[in-house]
Amino acid sequence: MNIEEVFKRWKATLDRRYGQGFPAEFVEKAHENLLDAYASFDASGCADSQFLTELCSASANKSAQRLGEILLFERLKHAGYDPKPSPNSWGPDFLIQQDGKQICLELITPSTGDDVKINELFTSHDPLNPCPNAATELRQRTLLRMTAAIAEKLGKYEGYLRDGVVGSQDVLVIVVNDALLCPDVFFYGVSHNADAGVGGQSLAEHAVYGFGHSIWESDSEGGNYVRKSTFREIVDNRPEPARDASPRGPVPVSLFGTPVQPEAAEIAHRASVISAVLQVTLREDYGFMMLLREKAEIEDRLVEGLLRPGALVINPRAANPLYVSLQQGLMRIVDAPALSLKEAWDLKNRELKLLFGEGYKEQPFPG
């Protein structure tokens, strides 16, 4: 496959997801946005020697990882950063600078691997007739892919530290692109990311904070019920045996906590080098997100509310904390001034009026 065939594949994917419900010019513009993102990345010097080969690979996993690199680069550039590659192509995927600190971004796009059950669950899912057991199983299995991805990048970064490629004071953000953990339908990567975990929070939060199922408990007076999160240090692995026929061991999911169980405590100690995990969806739909982003920037800020920047999960035990200005930069997808309280209030009134119709009575600003 050559690069022109890759471009055609992107277009076919956009047609499949958006062609039935959106004007043809919208789909064409989204495709052009992807081509522009590719051209910008290609000219940046960030592509390594294997980039084009893997982008054009017949392997969906390799191609998705490389598309993720293109789109993460575009996102960082649009947020005002100047992402650079690691010297000699050995080190984190991107390096950015802010306030005198070097921030290392390691991108990984976890696939479903040999867990064929995930795709079966995606295929059988019927939103109008959901099956709670199937939904729970899907969330548990995709969580395992998320935890494996974070652990893989942690191990790789530890190698960079040993080799002196990065410094002990550098900030590490592991960027998990959940593109291959999403069903093949529209708006994943625009208004939402991969489906949440069993407790309702993002998969990344489940993977590092140890969230479990949410439960309803009565308050102290017994009159009202409140939803509370449960927590766990490890989760059961999937029941299928490993490739060597051995049983799969339990998986730690409290990397950013203070677990007691030895296996979970050991990896949590190692994970102190991770400042944060950013879960995003970087796939062909990003071209459509760029289209809406432009509308938010030059036409109507109301569109901004449709766009999902991802989930940034902070490590409270990080050796190098992720300071607030960097958190804001990494979550910035629309290049526009911050809204005043009055502007935000007026936008909310407009949004509610669109939802409830002309009968909605606008609420006056309390200031």
Side-chain angles (χ1 to χ4, degrees):
M1 184 181 297
N2 59 40
I3 191 61
E4 292 300 326
E5 291 173 311
V6 172
F7 295 160
K8 290 178 181 177
R9 185 168 64 183
W10 293 349
K11 179 62 162 57
T13 299
L14 289 170
D15 281 333
R16 184 172 66 251
R17 292 177 185 159
Y18 295 92
Q20 295 296 315
F22 294 87
E25 57 267 26
F26 274 45
V27 178
E28 188 61 41
K29 177 59 177 174
H31 185 236
E32 290 175 5
N33 286 339
L34 293 178
L35 300 185
D36 290 344
Y38 168 80
S40 176
F41 181 80
D42 187 49
S44 71
C46 287
D48 61 30
S49 59
Q50 295 299 310
F51 171 77
L52 190 59
T53 299
E54 295 191 352
L55 179 65
C56 298
S57 171
S59 166
N61 300 344
K62 290 181 179 179
S63 188
Q65 167 70 16
R66 295 305 190 163
L67 176 57
E69 291 177 17
I70 294 171
L71 301 181
L72 178 58
F73 175 85
E74 198 284 336
R75 173 174 167 141
L76 292 170
K77 288 285 288 186
H78 197 78
Y81 294 109
D82 183 22
K84 299 294 184 183
S86 290
N88 304 316
S89 298
W90 174 241
D93 294 304
F94 296 108
L95 303 174
I96 59 176
Q97 306 288 329
Q98 184 169 327
D99 300 335
K101 296 283 286 186
Q102 176 166 275
I103 299 93
C104 306
L105 294 112
E106 272 284 82
L107 173 69
I108 187 167
T109 306
S111 71
T112 56
D114 61 354
D115 189 352
V116 296
K117 186 68 174 178
I118 292 179
N119 289 325
E120 291 176 6
L121 290 166
F122 276 145
T123 303
S124 64
H125 178 61
D126 180 359
L128 297 180
N129 298 283
C131 172
N133 291 335
T136 297
E137 183 179 4
L138 178 60
R139 283 160 171 74
Q140 294 284 44
R141 286 176 178 269
T142 51
L143 171 62
L144 295 174
R145 305 308 303 167
M146 178 70 65
T147 58
I150 295 171
E152 178 182 334
K153 280 300 183 180
L154 171 59
K156 199 166 188 178
Y157 192 79
E158 288 172 327
Y160 298 153
L161 282 168
R162 286 193 298 270
D163 293 347
V165 176
V166 295
S168 61
Q169 301 303 311
D170 290 345
V171 172
L172 168 62
V173 178
I174 295 178
V175 182
V176 183
N177 174 21
D178 61 27
L180 297 177
L181 303 181
C182 298
D184 185 19
V185 295
F186 72 176
F187 264 71
Y188 279 86
V190 180
S191 61
H192 47 287
N193 306 118
D195 294 340
V198 294
Q201 300 86 356
S202 68
L203 288 173
E205 290 170 286
H206 279 72
V208 297
Y209 286 161
F211 283 118
H213 284 277
S214 294
I215 59 174
W216 291 95
E217 288 187 353
S218 61
D219 60 17
S220 57
E221 299 177 356
N224 296 309
Y225 281 81
V226 293
R227 194 174 77 164
K228 293 185 177 181
S229 296
T230 61
F231 295 89
R232 52 204 179 166
E233 296 183 1
I234 59 173
V235 296
D236 291 334
N237 213 322
R238 57 192 175 101
E240 300 87 5
R243 292 178 181 176
D244 62 0
S246 63
R248 298 177 185 271
V251 178
V253 289
S254 187
L255 277 68
F256 290 178
T258 53
V260 175
Q261 298 182 59
E263 184 179 2
E266 186 270 335
I267 194 169
H269 175 72
R270 291 169 50 206
S272 63
V273 300
I274 305 173
S275 302
V277 171
L278 174 60
Q279 179 186 341
V280 291
T281 308
L282 302 170
R283 61 180 199 171
E284 295 85 355
D285 303 65
Y286 191 92
F288 198 79
M289 189 284 293
M290 292 171 69
L291 189 156
L292 294 180
R293 183 182 69 188
E294 182 179 4
K295 288 184 176 296
E297 291 171 347
I298 65 177
E299 294 181 23
D300 193 339
R301 292 294 294 275
L302 191 62
V303 179
E304 186 176 355
L306 298 174
L307 307 180
R308 171 75 173 168
L312 183 63
V313 188
I314 307 300
N315 186 357
R317 300 175 56 252
N320 300 304
L322 194 71
Y323 39 90
V324 174
S325 59
L326 181 55
Q327 294 177 31
Q328 294 170 339
L330 290 176
M331 294 297 279
R332 186 182 187 190
I333 55 175
V334 173
D335 185 14
L339 294 170
S340 67
L341 290 176
K342 176 67 165 57
E343 289 170 332
W345 184 275
D346 291 342
L347 273 182
K348 192 63 180 179
N349 267 325
R350 287 181 56 206
E351 179 184 352
L352 292 173
K353 194 166 187 176
L354 285 173
L355 288 173
F356 298 112
E358 293 299 323
Y360 170 73
K361 183 179 180 181
E362 293 191 14
Q363 301 300 306
F365 183 65

